[in-house]
Amino acid sequence: MVVCGDDGLAHRLAAELRGVYDEQVTLVVPPNRRTARPPVVGRARAASAALFDRMVSAAVGTVGRAGPTGQPTGPATGQRTDGEAVLEAAEPTEAVLAEAGVARAAALALVYDDDETNIRAALTARRLNPRLRLVLRLYNRRLGQHIEELLDQAAALAAGDAAGPDAGLEASTTVLSDADTAAPVLAATAVAGTSRVVQTEGLLLRAVERPLSGEDGAGLSTLALLSGGEQPPLLLPGDEEVRRAAGRQAVVLEHVSSPMDAESATPARRLTGVMPLASLFSRRLRWSLAGLVGCVVALAVTLWLVTGIDPLRACYITLLDLFAIDDPAFKEPLGRQVLQLLSALVGLLLLPVLLAAALEALGTFRTASTLRRPPRGLSGHVVLLGLGKIGTRVLTRLRELNVPVVCVESDPEARGLATARRLRVPVVLGDVTQEGVLEAAQIHRARTLLAVTSADTTNLEAVLYARTVRPDLRVVLRLYDDDFATAVYRTLRAAHPNALTRSRSVTHLAAPAFAGAMLGRQVLGAIAVERRVLLFAAVDVDGHPQLEGHTLREAFHTGSWRALARLGHPDTSSEHVLEKGDRVVVAATRRGLAELR
């Protein structure tokens, strides 16, 4: 496996492949940008030195050819870090990829923070090895779909396979986003009682936390038992363990249904950014217009009763009087003359109201593209700090769940502001470390503070300040380093035992999805179970003796993986026998996915 990147995700991914899946890894990083202590995943391997020698000879090959001074002469330098081959190179050029062993590698992950760098390197790598499995980190999801098709087509043509990219060819391209992988977990953590959602190919998987009851039976829907007392958390428990865990808090699969059903059951379609007609005018103006319409109707009815003329003619004459059209009632009875004067008076009152309505509607359209301010009296909302890559995805998830949100962003050019305008979400522009910014977001009446800016110190400072305002405030903060996230979580939990505190590392949540894709499985998402991660993947039944010929209820390995449903069959019974051609959604631990190879 070859991993190329320029931030913590590359190191976390390399450690994931090496420690969990026991893969040989070559890591390509820019010079002087590696973390001081790369993350360690899984147990230490006793034969790391021997493994490194094999990795260098098999994967690195020509790296480190010494010149007269004993220094490498190639475009990249090779080093050893915790039993993996490390190349230092400013960019993933063709020469660098060749020296990293891409021509002989099984998979390549390109996780640079820049989309263009990843695409350029992917095109080069596909030319060097048409059968290479590619995993790209791209923020632009629409572009990612086109890149997947292009690279798979290029692999098929290079291999001379006229039947298509999937016929007899192991090469595949998977485009993932760390933001898309982590956002559902962060959004679900921010809202207590809100389901965690994984959606794919016509299925919507919802997982909730609740205590088990004696009626949960065989536990097909039980994904995990949470820790309680001295009992550690247990992922994918067996039937007997579920029966013995009555009353224990668990993560349970609530339902498996079509996304269209869920969409019709929630008001998500109202979040399209289209303004309703009532939002054009203020409540006071609408009442004024209603009162004037009532006066006009009353005058028309009175004129009909007083003069005895036809009701339609009475309405017509009233409108003439209302708009001061010249038709004086000189020779008419006294009642008619009084009504004409009253109609003229109402007409005078109507003119400023119509002018105010026109100005207010114009102002509404002019401000439709500007940022909204938090409305007065707002409460029970989520205060979201940061509208970058992660923040934008989290905002979209929260609004899909119909959760009220107030955003705080310091950069007026942040990419997430356009999404906030489209969803008509209130935004406070300002630095969260400055006094008064969180108060403007009405933090004292908020349900949750969700800090997902790119700076760990900013997230931590905002959380600490918010806790001085609301000691019982639920806080969720994104931190770069997983060890630091764990330390912060424990400290805040000890300092505020009565408040819910969660700290999440995006690289920790995203790395398993990238690692699973490098091994040839399409990982759909992940949910956090305390400090562990449970993955959801789409797996083809063909060639899997653990799946083929078994029912959904039987396709289960305690503590490792469980088949949940067939894709494309929303009404699947748990007694359905899986056969060739079926594709199932599987919930699995990290090592459980490795077992399904």
Side-chain angles (χ1 to χ4, degrees):
M1 303 288 180
V2 180
V3 178
C4 304
D6 56 359
D7 59 9
L9 179 58
H11 292 281
R12 168 62 66 176
L13 177 55
E16 184 85 16
L17 292 168
R18 188 182 66 253
V20 176
Y21 299 103
D22 199 26
E23 294 286 347
Q24 298 181 3
V25 182
T26 299
L27 178 62
V28 181
V29 291
N32 303 322
R33 291 190 183 180
R34 300 194 315 277
T35 55
R37 184 171 60 85
V40 177
V41 180
R43 59 182 176 83
R45 305 184 58 190
S48 60
L51 171 64
F52 175 74
D53 293 337
R54 294 197 304 269
M55 291 167 61
V56 171
S57 61
V60 183
T62 58
V63 176
R65 293 191 300 269
T69 61
Q71 298 297 326
T73 59
T77 59
Q79 297 184 12
R80 170 182 173 177
T81 302
D82 291 340
E84 68 184 8
V86 179
L87 299 182
E88 291 186 349
E91 293 183 357
T93 61
E94 182 174 353
V96 171
L97 293 177
E99 292 196 16
V102 167
R104 299 177 299 277
L108 167 65
L110 297 165
V111 293
Y112 290 94
D113 193 48
D114 178 55
D115 286 4
E116 182 180 350
T117 300
N118 293 328
I119 295 173
R120 184 170 61 249
L123 296 173
T124 303
R126 180 60 81 211
R127 186 175 67 254
L128 293 175
N129 186 353
R131 293 186 175 272
L132 182 69
R133 187 178 299 118
L134 287 173
V135 179
L136 279 71
R137 172 190 185 183
L138 295 182
Y139 180 77
N140 190 328
R141 289 177 290 182
R142 180 176 299 178
L143 176 61
Q145 295 176 356
H146 297 304
I147 291 297
E148 282 187 2
E149 297 174 357
L150 175 64
L151 291 176
D152 284 343
Q153 183 179 5
L157 293 176
D161 188 353
D166 297 327
L169 188 65
E170 296 181 357
S172 64
T173 305
T174 304
V175 175
L176 297 174
S177 167
D178 52 345
D180 286 334
T181 306
V185 182
L186 292 169
T189 307
V191 184
T194 301
S195 301
R196 304 162 186 183
V197 178
V198 178
Q199 179 178 320
T200 178
E201 298 183 27
L203 287 179
L204 184 68
L205 310 180
R206 293 168 57 92
V208 296
E209 293 184 10
R210 64 174 177 83
L212 289 176
S213 63
E215 301 177 355
D216 286 314
L220 177 63
S221 62
T222 303
L223 301 180
L225 299 176
L226 302 181
S227 60
E230 298 181 356
Q231 296 174 317
L234 180 61
L235 300 184
L236 302 173
D239 296 346
E240 292 298 326
E241 293 169 318
V242 172
R243 293 190 182 97
R244 293 195 301 266
R248 186 172 171 182
Q249 199 76 8
V251 178
V252 179
L253 188 68
E254 191 176 63
H255 68 268
V256 180
S257 64
S258 168
M260 293 302 297
D261 297 337
E263 188 175 313
S264 62
T266 61
R269 286 178 292 180
R270 296 203 303 261
L271 305 177
T272 59
V274 179
M275 293 182 302
L277 183 61
S279 65
L280 293 177
F281 309 110
S282 64
R283 181 183 180 88
R284 181 181 302 176
L285 186 57
R286 293 199 301 270
W287 277 109
S288 299
L289 289 173
L292 288 174
V293 170
C295 291
V296 172
V297 173
L299 288 172
V301 172
T302 304
L303 180 61
W304 168 47
L305 295 176
V306 169
T307 61
I309 61 177
D310 184 78
L312 292 179
R313 181 173 175 79
C315 293
Y316 173 70
I317 294 176
T318 300
L319 291 176
L320 289 179
D321 295 338
L322 191 67
F323 295 113
I325 298 177
D326 192 18
D327 186 16
F330 291 129
K331 299 180 180 180
E332 299 290 337
L334 179 61
R336 167 73 183 91
Q337 294 176 346
V338 171
L339 287 174
Q340 188 175 55
L341 294 176
L342 292 176
S343 298
L345 179 60
V346 173
L348 293 176
L349 297 176
L350 179 62
L351 289 177
V353 173
L354 292 177
L355 179 61
L359 293 177
E360 191 167 289
L362 178 61
T364 301
F365 280 114
R366 291 183 61 185
T367 58
S369 60
T370 62
L371 297 174
R372 299 181 61 197
R373 300 288 297 176
R376 295 180 180 179
L378 180 65
S379 62
H381 58 287
V382 174
V383 176
L384 177 62
L385 308 184
L387 286 175
K389 292 181 180 179
I390 303 295
T392 304
R393 297 286 193 261
V394 172
L395 173 61
T396 303
R397 283 282 181 173
L398 290 173
R399 294 308 296 134
E400 288 174 353
L401 295 171
N402 202 31
V403 176
V405 184
V406 173
C407 300
V408 179
E409 174 56 52
S410 59
D411 183 9
E413 302 296 329
R415 67 177 71 198
L417 292 179
T419 302
R421 293 189 187 99
R422 178 174 58 85
L423 298 177
R424 296 181 58 78
V425 173
V427 177
V428 176
L429 288 176
D431 189 350
V432 296
T433 62
Q434 299 297 322
E435 185 176 357
V437 174
L438 286 178
E439 285 80 357
Q442 302 183 20
I443 192 65
H444 56 286
R445 289 198 296 266
R447 174 194 302 179
T448 306
L449 173 64
L450 183 53
V452 294
T453 70
S454 58
D456 286 2
T457 55
T458 300
N459 294 334
L460 183 57
E461 183 177 354
V463 167
L464 294 176
Y465 177 75
R467 278 285 169 83
T468 62
V469 179
R470 279 274 306 279
D472 61 340
L473 180 67
R474 182 185 304 117
V475 297
V476 180
L477 65 159
R478 164 203 177 188
L479 297 175
Y480 181 80
D481 182 74
D482 191 57
D483 292 335
F484 183 46
T486 302
V488 168
Y489 163 71
R490 292 173 176 172
T491 304
L492 289 176
R493 183 182 60 178
H496 301 275
N498 298 324
L500 180 64
T501 302
R502 292 290 184 268
S503 59
R504 294 287 183 260
S505 167
V506 172
T507 57
H508 175 81
L509 296 174
F514 282 82
M518 291 187 72
L519 295 170
R521 288 174 294 273
Q522 179 64 49
V523 176
L524 306 174
I527 65 171
V529 180
E530 296 182 352
R531 301 306 299 176
R532 302 181 65 184
V533 175
L534 191 63
L535 303 178
F536 291 84
V539 179
D540 291 322
V541 173
D542 297 0
H544 283 281
Q546 306 99 322
L547 300 175
E548 191 173 348
H550 298 274
T551 65
L552 279 174
R553 184 179 294 275
E554 295 170 347
F556 170 47
H557 188 279
T558 302
S560 296
W561 53 269
R562 178 192 290 277
L564 300 175
R566 285 192 304 162
L567 288 173
H569 299 272
D571 298 328
T572 296
S573 169
S574 61
E575 302 301 329
H576 172 79
V577 178
L578 300 176
E579 54 189 14
K580 289 184 178 181
D582 285 341
R583 185 172 172 85
V584 296
V585 176
V586 174
T589 62
R590 300 174 182 177
R591 293 192 179 274
L593 277 179
E595 293 178 11
L596 284 176
R597 295 183 65 180

